Amino acid sequence: MGHAASAFFEESGGEDVLERVGPFVEGMVQGYLIDKASYEAGVTDIADLQDSEVAARFDGDGDGMADLAGCVPGWGCERIIEHHMTEYGLRDTVTHNQGAYNALMADTIARHGNGDPILYFTWTPYWVSGTLVPGEDVEWLSVPYTSLPDGVEANTEYNGMNIGFSRMRCSFWPRTPSSMRTPRRRRCSRRRSST
């Protein structure tokens, strides 16, 4: 289980109320992306946004700071993004915009459609990457080095670059009496426990 999921698991009551059931989707990736034009103009690492002139290119509300369409408050990704904001020296040049994720993405997609630079967090697979296609419309940003909250060590490499987030793999369900579990949940649980 990735760091964000582990923290969420423990903060939600851990083994007393949740059951680890193993991966639902293998190979999920999460990280920061920007529009392809900005990437090709040289913005390839999240630390590039320490430069206030570079960050201002991604300003959507006129305050001179880059607007990062980020994570829903309380989600595991929030903890990692907030950690990165401090660790990579972005607090003075980047605003982590939070709220209803689909609303944030609707605004990001509209800005991209208007030809404006965009900066956002997402994960795949998710519908956003079918609209803003990595490698075509947008590109993954690297980070200067791996740094995760609470000193957690994890592999944050993806396609030869450090994207700053570990690969997501594991999910969990609320603990229920065994008579209420669906066969799929039991099958997934058995498979997880045997490896």
Side-chain angles (χ1 to χ4, degrees):
M1 187 180 315
H3 173 267
S6 293
F8 180 80
F9 183 85
E10 293 305 324
E11 291 168 5
S12 297
E15 297 289 342
D16 292 340
V17 297
L18 298 171
E19 177 181 6
R20 298 175 198 261
V21 294
F24 288 122
V25 178
E26 292 283 356
M28 295 176 71
V29 177
Q30 56 185 333
Y32 307 109
L33 293 100
I34 62 167
D35 60 285
K36 193 166 186 75
S38 295
Y39 189 88
E40 290 174 347
V43 182
T44 60
D45 192 288
I46 196 76
D48 294 337
L49 298 171
Q50 292 171 348
D51 182 327
S52 60
E53 288 182 25
V54 172
R57 295 183 210 164
F58 301 91
D59 179 11
D61 62 8
D63 67 357
M65 295 177 64
D67 287 298
L68 167 64
C71 193
V72 175
W75 284 13
C77 48
E78 175 191 32
R79 172 181 273 163
I80 297 171
I81 293 170
E82 287 298 311
H83 175 81
H84 286 170
M85 293 283 293
T86 300
E87 181 68 23
Y88 303 138
L90 302 172
R91 296 247 175 239
D92 294 335
T93 57
V94 177
T95 300
H96 177 199
N97 294 325
Q98 296 181 263
Y101 186 77
N102 287 336
L104 292 170
M105 291 301 97
D107 179 63
T108 300
I109 291 165
R111 291 186 63 214
H112 184 262
N114 292 333
D116 296 329
I118 57 172
L119 168 66
Y120 65 101
F121 164 84
T122 199
W123 63 93
T124 64
Y126 195 61
W127 68 266
V128 172
S129 294
T131 302
L132 297 172
V133 180
E136 293 178 22
D137 305 304
V138 294
E139 296 289 347
W140 294 97
L141 287 178
S142 61
V143 298
Y145 51 89
T146 299
S147 181
L148 296 169
D150 307 319
V152 169
E153 294 183 14
N155 180 1
T156 58
E157 297 285 321
Y158 173 68
N159 284 346
M161 68 187 311
N162 187 342
I163 60 171
F165 291 81
S166 60
R167 306 279 299 263
M168 300 186 310
R169 294 181 55 239
C170 194
S171 295
F172 37 86
W173 291 94
R175 191 168 290 289
T176 58
S178 60
S179 62
M180 296 178 67
R181 293 188 196 129
T182 63
R184 182 167 189 211
R185 287 185 192 164
R186 271 187 269 131
R187 190 169 50 247
C188 186
S189 294
R190 275 192 220 121
R191 199 175 357 184
R192 175 74 172 136
S193 65
S194 65
T195 57

